[in-house]
Amino acid sequence: MGEFVRVEVADRIATIRLDRPKMNALNGQVQQEIGEAARLVDADPVVQAVILYGGERVFAAGADIKEMADMSYADMSAHSRTLQDCFTAVARIGKPVIAAISGYALGGGCELALCADFRVAGEGAKLGQPEILLGIIPGAGGTQRLPRLVGPSKAKDLIFSGRHVTAEEALSIGLVDKVVADDQVYTAALEWASTFAAGPTIALRAAKQAVDQGLEVDLDTGLEIERLQFSGLFATEDAKVGMRAFAEKTKPKFTGN
């Protein structure tokens, strides 16, 4: 439990909750606590799925500009590695991760949402990478994860202009996966996460690693990654449970072994 980031676990679902009033500005401490929370839920055998949540009013409005304004090149050169490492820890959680987005997800807040596997946004949500308006560029993965998600042209539009997009536009370009009423954001994310809560832990991790690692390599290498993950799962008890349940026409009860 950090000062501004806490982890709550119920029914095998962990919620990483940002709580730094008023706008969940992502200063250095919050970034560190996000990384610690990510590593915690990744290692917790009880946790099957994860929700990133900033509360009912805002997901995260971005980095703490007042903190950054006084940084020199040398300062940021050192800090930027820590910043990226904290967000990468979220992207590498080996379980399904859903960002529940209410209000603003801007700058670092948008980059944090990009680290999730899925994004649920409220109707009134606004997303964007406005760093260009400060004379800088995204530094927590925005120039890399955003084009991989929505394509280079749409990513450049958002990054070059710094404009905010509505939830409706975000859905249309693939930046979010689902739009719901503002007061249903967390509930919708929880319902989605619950579909993974009884799943085969090792297979879900293998599937996520195969997809994510495969996106970074050529097709032949990606197929080899898939082959090795696929073959390795035949050493798990869950594979035996799943195939036995299929043959017997019963619901599998996976154990995570």
Side-chain angles (χ1 to χ4, degrees):
M1 295 273 291
E3 182 180 358
F4 300 120
V5 180
R6 63 179 182 267
V7 175
E8 302 162 348
V9 180
D11 299 324
R12 310 203 75 178
I13 298 169
T15 298
I16 297 177
R17 171 74 157 89
L18 309 185
D19 189 13
R20 187 184 181 220
K22 297 180 179 177
M23 302 297 285
N24 288 335
L26 304 172
N27 68 356
Q29 181 179 341
V30 174
Q31 294 162 21
Q32 289 278 11
E33 290 181 7
I34 288 171
E36 291 167 4
R39 288 183 279 271
L40 176 68
V41 300
D42 184 47
D44 189 339
V46 172
V47 174
Q48 291 283 90
V50 180
I51 298 172
L52 303 176
Y53 186 50
E56 297 177 355
R57 294 182 62 253
V58 63
F59 183 73
D64 190 325
I65 305 303
K66 292 180 180 178
E67 181 182 68
M68 288 199 308
D70 294 329
M71 286 188 175
S72 66
Y73 163 74
D75 293 334
M76 186 52 77
S77 181
H79 175 69
S80 58
R81 175 67 63 188
T82 301
L83 168 62
Q84 287 195 353
D85 287 348
C86 292
F87 279 42
T88 296
V90 176
R92 289 182 178 169
I93 294 172
K95 300 159 186 184
V97 179
I98 302 169
I101 303 168
S102 299
Y104 292 113
L106 302 175
C110 186
E111 289 171 302
L112 178 59
L114 291 172
C115 294
D117 300 299
F118 312 106
R119 284 151 290 280
V120 177
E123 294 172 332
K126 296 290 181 64
L127 298 89
Q129 300 288 168
E131 290 88 349
I132 202 76
L133 304 177
L134 301 175
I136 57 176
I137 66 172
T143 66
Q144 302 304 306
R145 293 191 176 97
L146 186 59
R148 283 168 168 78
L149 183 65
V150 304
S153 180
K154 292 183 176 66
K156 287 175 182 177
D157 170 35
L158 298 185
I159 294 168
F160 291 3
S161 69
R163 68 185 182 89
H164 302 175
V165 299
T166 64
E168 181 180 0
E169 182 178 357
L171 180 65
S172 71
I173 65 174
L175 179 52
V176 302
D177 304 288
K178 187 180 296 186
V179 175
V180 299
D182 289 327
D183 62 356
Q184 293 296 308
V185 171
Y186 184 74
T187 299
L190 193 60
E191 290 175 352
W192 199 344
S194 68
T195 65
F196 306 114
T201 307
I202 302 172
L204 283 168
R205 183 182 290 270
K208 181 168 180 172
Q209 290 177 345
V211 172
D212 289 351
Q213 293 173 7
L215 287 171
E216 308 304 320
V217 299
D218 60 85
L219 179 58
D220 284 345
T221 304
L223 288 169
E224 182 63 6
I225 291 170
E226 178 185 84
R227 186 185 71 81
L228 293 172
Q229 293 280 15
F230 171 70
S231 302
L233 290 170
F234 281 77
T236 68
E237 182 63 28
D238 277 350
K240 296 179 177 63
V241 168
M243 284 183 260
R244 189 182 307 120
F246 177 83
E248 297 172 354
K249 297 182 172 57
T250 59
K251 186 176 181 179
K253 294 182 180 180
F254 297 114
T255 64
N257 298 308

